Amino acid sequence: MKIIIIGTGNIGSAAIQAVQSAPDMELIGVFHHNEMEAIARLPHVDVALLCLPTREAPIFAKQLNQMGINTVDSFDIHTQIADVRRQLMPIAQTNQAVSIISAGWDPGSDSMVRALLEVLTPQGQSYTNFGPGRSMGHTVAAKAIQGVKNALSITLPLGQGKHGRHVYIELEDGYDFEDVRRRLLADDYFAHDETEVERVDDVEQYQTTAHGVLLERSGVAAGKDDQQLKFEMRIDNPSLTAQFMVGCARAAYRLQQEGRYGCYTTIELAPVWMLPGEVEDNVKQLV
Amino acid sequence: MKIIIIGTGNIGSAAIQAVQSAPDMELIGVFHHNEMEAIARLPHVDVALLCLPTREAPIFAKQLNQMGINTVDSFDIHTQIADVRRQLMPIAQTNQAVSIISAGWDPGSDSMVRALLEVLTPQGQSYTNFGPGRSMGHTVAAKAIQGVKNALSITLPLGQGKHGRHVYIELEDGYDFEDVRRRLLADDYFAHDETEVERVDDVEQYQTTAHGVLLERSGVAAGKDDQQLKFEMRIDNPSLTAQFMVGCARAAYRLQQEGRYGCYTTIELAPVWMLPGEVEDNVKQLV
């Protein structure tokens, strides 16, 4: 499989590692998001890994599918995933390509687990608990508050799907901490959660790419209540995202080979399509 | 979907509950394993759930596939699964049917999780820890020891994929406990594990269908070591088995509708195929 990576941030850098250590992949090139012309000149590409800001991903997926190149992204705005899928579906189908969207860890691998937990217990309560780890969205929101020079927002799991925030901020000169803190707490991103704001001299001292999740479900199987299921990870955020995208690149390639063109989310994929090697060998080792 | 259940033991009884509470299924009949003639006379069946002793399952899958009926079983002899798949594949394909094998919780849903953990961390160590819960195989082996009137073997998780056994036995009159215990410990089923043998007056006092599993993996994602992943369940064994078979019945039906005939293990199935309702609605709720 001939792979290209578009985007050179945390996830793009991790994707280079993941592709280079894949036994069945060849890394053809790594591109910035403004190098589409160079990509168009490449002789043959099987899959492009879109390691781009989330809102750019569907735009690039569309363009690349139109060139017949399969794509994998980690588009992560949960409420828009079904819409993106519906928009990309005919484009992928018309161009005999496959687009796999929202293929990070949440949405992504967690989505597959959530679906499986619901298969196992059709009635019940599910909770997704994130963290501790950095929230990109909340970090960006904190940085946008007037008087904030630099910020970092850590998501804290409080249990049963509730989350708190720990926000580190560096102040701009001439601003009052209490005043900045009050405005941050009034921001819609923070107004609904338990939020602790801490003033620090250097936010970078607190940076981390570590993250985690606990998916919990208690439900009913075949009429029997109180079946308890759990999935838990402590991970490096960009590394796990990139590695899972590499798995989904295999799925995209196989689906295209079988003529099953279109746009897919991860719950529509079988785990074995994401593994290298023959299906029968994986059946022997993993089933 | 028109469903029949073959077998009336613990799993068959739970399957009745699971099918009756499925919004998209109709239970056409429940049959003993010697009623194949009655099944052959039924006007139309989509999927047969084979709730039979494990060695009988492939025999019935073959016969039913030959009648064009899709099957789901929970065949659980790990070392023979790839062979059974290879044998059933051409039979299902020739008869335009789908056979999903080894669709309990292990092999079955655990297999899907094991495959997913390997996608997320291609290098690493995985451990499957079972229990505490009843082991059918070890219980049968204990009952076969001369002088044992009744027995129950509980699997104890010792960590890192190692297991101990707690065996309850009721003695036949005239046998010496120490002598029976020595012979049991020498049996190949018990000789390799830490095994505690306890003599009790009534084994039935200790019966349980509760079981559990902890799948653990520590591995490398995109070059980053020490990524920690875990899947854990505390469940009722026959209920979870039956409920997952019902999910796989949906997958079998969909695969047949799409003309993708053949024999599949669970790692070859996408989670959303196992859920009722439209794919797009499940994408909205679960991704």
Side-chain angles (χ1 to χ4, degrees):
Chain A
M1 259 169 277
K2 293 181 191 302
I3 308 286
I4 61 170
I5 294 168
I6 308 180
T8 55
N10 282 338
I11 297 174
S13 305
I16 295 174
Q17 287 250 19
V19 173
Q20 283 177 338
S21 54
D24 51 351
M25 293 184 181
E26 189 189 345
L27 183 59
I28 297 298
V30 180
F31 299 90
H32 288 281
H33 68 146
N34 56 1
E35 295 184 288
M36 281 299 280
E37 283 176 26
I39 294 166
R41 286 195 301 270
L42 292 170
H44 178 78
V45 176
D46 289 311
V47 189
L49 301 180
L50 307 182
C51 305
L52 296 164
T54 211
R55 286 176 204 283
E56 288 184 21
I59 301 162
F60 279 75
K62 184 180 164 181
Q63 288 180 34
L64 289 153
N65 278 183
Q66 281 169 339
M67 295 157 63
I69 297 175
N70 305 309
T71 59
V72 176
D73 69 49
S74 59
F75 182 82
D76 69 353
I77 307 172
H78 284 263
T79 52
Q80 297 177 15
I81 293 168
D83 289 338
V84 171
R85 179 176 173 276
R86 208 182 311 111
Q87 285 157 23
L88 289 176
M89 186 70 84
I91 295 160
Q93 285 172 341
T94 308
N95 295 284
Q96 307 200 325
V98 172
S99 169
I100 296 179
I101 64 169
S102 303
W105 56 274
D106 203 316
S109 51
D110 279 3
S111 314
M112 295 177 76
V113 176
R114 272 193 292 271
L116 181 62
L117 299 187
E118 194 143 324
V119 172
L120 293 167
T121 51
Q123 288 167 259
Q125 279 74 46
S126 281
Y127 299 109
T128 301
N129 305 287
F130 294 112
R134 179 174 55 177
S135 163
M136 281 308 286
H138 289 80
T139 295
V140 169
K143 283 179 181 172
I145 304 287
Q146 214 189 357
V148 172
K149 190 174 166 191
N150 197 3
L152 167 66
S153 181
I154 300 291
T155 302
L156 307 175
L158 305 180
Q160 282 75 52
K162 306 283 178 209
H163 295 94
R165 313 285 164 189
H166 188 153
V167 187
Y168 298 92
I169 60 171
E170 244 174 271
L171 276 193
E172 295 273 18
D173 286 346
Y175 282 89
D176 175 59
F177 173 64
E178 271 311 312
D179 181 47
V180 169
R181 181 177 167 278
R182 252 193 312 276
R183 279 185 287 116
L184 186 143
L185 292 177
D187 188 283
D188 202 49
Y189 261 92
F190 299 99
H192 315 289
D193 293 332
E194 262 182 52
T195 303
E196 187 188 341
V197 187
E198 185 178 350
R199 182 183 178 175
V200 297
D201 292 333
D202 180 7
V203 160
E204 296 311 313
Q205 295 291 320
Y206 301 86
Q207 285 294 359
T208 178
T209 55
H211 218 309
V213 69
L214 169 62
L215 298 179
E216 294 179 287
R217 186 166 173 88
S218 166
V220 180
K224 197 98 175 185
D225 204 349
D226 201 29
Q227 309 303 297
Q228 298 289 342
L229 303 93
K230 255 190 231 177
F231 179 75
E232 196 174 0
M233 302 199 298
R234 282 306 305 164
I235 50 152
D236 178 67
N237 193 347
S239 300
L240 210 88
T241 302
Q243 190 64 60
F244 190 62
M245 288 175 76
V246 161
C248 289
R250 285 190 191 97
Y253 179 76
R254 283 178 195 192
L255 285 164
Q256 191 193 37
Q257 296 289 93
E258 294 173 16
R260 295 164 59 201
Y261 314 118
C263 179
Y264 295 80
T265 59
T266 57
I267 64 173
E268 301 165 78
L269 307 177
V272 82
W273 303 346
M274 303 178 183
L275 290 168
E278 297 297 319
V279 170
E280 183 162 323
D281 292 332
N282 285 311
V283 167
K284 274 184 197 153
Q285 280 167 42
L286 295 166
V287 178
Chain B
M1 256 169 281
K2 293 182 191 301
I3 308 286
I4 60 170
I5 294 168
I6 308 179
T8 55
N10 282 339
I11 298 175
S13 305
I16 295 174
Q17 287 250 18
V19 173
Q20 283 178 337
S21 53
D24 51 352
M25 292 184 180
E26 189 188 346
L27 184 59
I28 298 298
V30 181
F31 300 90
H32 288 280
H33 68 146
N34 55 3
E35 294 183 288
M36 281 298 280
E37 282 176 28
I39 295 166
R41 285 195 302 271
L42 291 170
H44 179 76
V45 176
D46 289 310
V47 188
L49 301 179
L50 308 182
C51 306
L52 296 163
T54 212
R55 287 176 203 284
E56 288 184 22
I59 302 163
F60 280 76
K62 184 180 163 182
Q63 288 181 34
L64 289 153
N65 278 182
Q66 283 169 336
M67 294 157 65
I69 297 174
N70 305 309
T71 59
V72 176
D73 68 50
S74 59
F75 181 83
D76 69 354
I77 307 171
H78 284 264
T79 52
Q80 297 178 16
I81 294 169
D83 290 338
V84 171
R85 179 176 172 277
R86 208 181 313 110
Q87 285 158 21
L88 289 176
M89 187 71 83
I91 295 162
Q93 285 172 339
T94 308
N95 296 283
Q96 307 201 323
V98 172
S99 169
I100 296 180
I101 64 170
S102 303
W105 55 274
D106 204 313
S109 51
D110 280 2
S111 314
M112 295 179 76
V113 175
R114 272 193 293 271
L116 182 62
L117 298 187
E118 194 142 325
V119 172
L120 293 168
T121 52
Q123 288 167 259
Q125 280 74 45
S126 283
Y127 299 109
T128 301
N129 305 287
F130 294 112
R134 178 175 56 179
S135 163
M136 281 307 287
H138 289 80
T139 295
V140 169
K143 283 180 182 173
I145 304 289
Q146 213 189 359
V148 172
K149 188 174 167 192
N150 198 2
L152 166 66
S153 180
I154 300 291
T155 302
L156 307 174
L158 304 180
Q160 283 73 53
K162 306 283 179 210
H163 295 94
R165 313 285 163 190
H166 188 151
V167 188
Y168 298 92
I169 60 171
E170 246 174 86
L171 275 194
E172 295 271 19
D173 286 345
Y175 282 87
D176 175 58
F177 174 65
E178 269 313 313
D179 181 47
V180 170
R181 181 177 167 277
R182 251 193 314 275
R183 278 184 287 116
L184 186 143
L185 292 177
D187 187 284
D188 203 49
Y189 261 92
F190 299 99
H192 315 289
D193 295 330
E194 263 181 51
T195 302
E196 188 188 339
V197 187
E198 185 178 348
R199 180 183 179 177
V200 296
D201 291 332
D202 180 7
V203 159
E204 296 311 313
Q205 296 291 320
Y206 302 86
Q207 284 295 358
T208 178
T209 55
H211 219 307
V213 69
L214 168 63
L215 299 178
E216 292 179 288
R217 186 165 174 89
S218 165
V220 180
K224 196 100 175 183
D225 204 348
D226 201 28
Q227 309 303 298
Q228 299 289 342
L229 304 93
K230 254 188 231 177
F231 179 75
E232 197 174 359
M233 302 199 298
R234 284 302 307 163
I235 50 152
D236 179 68
N237 193 348
S239 299
L240 212 87
T241 302
Q243 190 65 59
F244 189 63
M245 289 175 75
V246 161
C248 290
R250 286 190 191 98
Y253 179 76
R254 283 178 195 192
L255 286 164
Q256 191 193 38
Q257 296 289 93
E258 295 173 14
R260 295 163 60 202
Y261 315 118
C263 179
Y264 296 80
T265 60
T266 57
I267 64 172
E268 301 165 77
L269 307 177
V272 81
W273 303 346
M274 302 175 184
L275 290 168
E278 296 299 318
V279 170
E280 183 162 322
D281 292 332
N282 284 311
V283 167
K284 275 185 198 154
Q285 281 167 43
L286 295 166
V287 179

